[in-house]
Amino acid sequence: TGSSDPYCIVKIDDEAIIRTATVWKTLSPFWGEEYEVHLHPTFHSISIYVMDEDALSRDDVIGKVCITRDMLVEHPKGYSGWMSLSEVDPDEEVQGEIHLRVEVQGSQRLLCCTVLEAR
């Protein structure tokens, strides 16, 4: 139909911790959702999967971005900007990017993740 029903899943070390709302019938979704999560001191990565909800079959993975512990160390004030989606399945071509704001606050390792929009 030329559009998707996108939503995002945020995983820390492959454990799903957040699911955004689904934005229906669009290729340019806006979420504007902000989440705070306590990070385990030994975490390795934060992955954000952009999904396409499908009522009749399994939801499709549009693409993902991965933010490693080292990337967060390189950006001590956090990261904000557009990130290109990468493929989850090597046989799939991926186009698109997601606008995120991610920062780790304080000694309690509080992750503040804002999923803004995608295109």
Side-chain angles (χ1 to χ4, degrees):
T1 62
S3 68
S4 292
D5 301 317
Y7 67 93
C8 294
I9 294 176
V10 180
K11 294 183 177 185
I12 297 178
D13 294 336
D14 291 326
E15 180 185 349
I17 56 164
I18 296 166
R19 184 197 191 281
T20 68
T22 300
V23 181
W24 304 101
K25 297 186 183 349
T26 184
L27 294 178
S28 299
F30 176 81
W31 291 283
E33 297 183 20
E34 183 174 303
Y35 300 92
E36 292 182 351
V37 177
H38 288 281
L39 284 175
H40 193 275
T42 60
F43 89 97
H44 294 97
S45 66
I46 302 160
S47 299
I48 296 101
Y49 290 79
V50 180
M51 307 292 292
D52 181 12
E53 189 165 321
D54 192 337
L56 301 177
S57 65
R58 202 173 87 220
D59 295 354
D60 297 319
V61 179
I62 295 172
K64 75 170 187 171
V65 295
C66 185
I67 300 166
T68 64
R69 172 192 210 100
D70 292 339
M71 290 169 69
L72 290 174
V73 169
E74 290 173 19
H75 297 91
K77 294 186 179 183
Y79 174 83
S80 181
W82 288 94
M83 296 182 75
S84 293
L85 296 176
S86 60
E87 73 278 346
V88 173
D89 180 345
D91 295 330
E92 296 285 330
E93 181 184 342
V94 174
Q95 296 179 5
E97 45 189 1
I98 187 167
H99 189 191
L100 301 171
R101 187 168 45 241
V102 179
E103 61 184 317
V104 178
Q105 303 171 338
S107 59
Q108 282 108 23
R109 312 280 307 159
L110 184 67
L111 169 71
C112 182
C113 178
T114 307
V115 181
L116 294 165
E117 58 187 324
R119 58 186 179 203

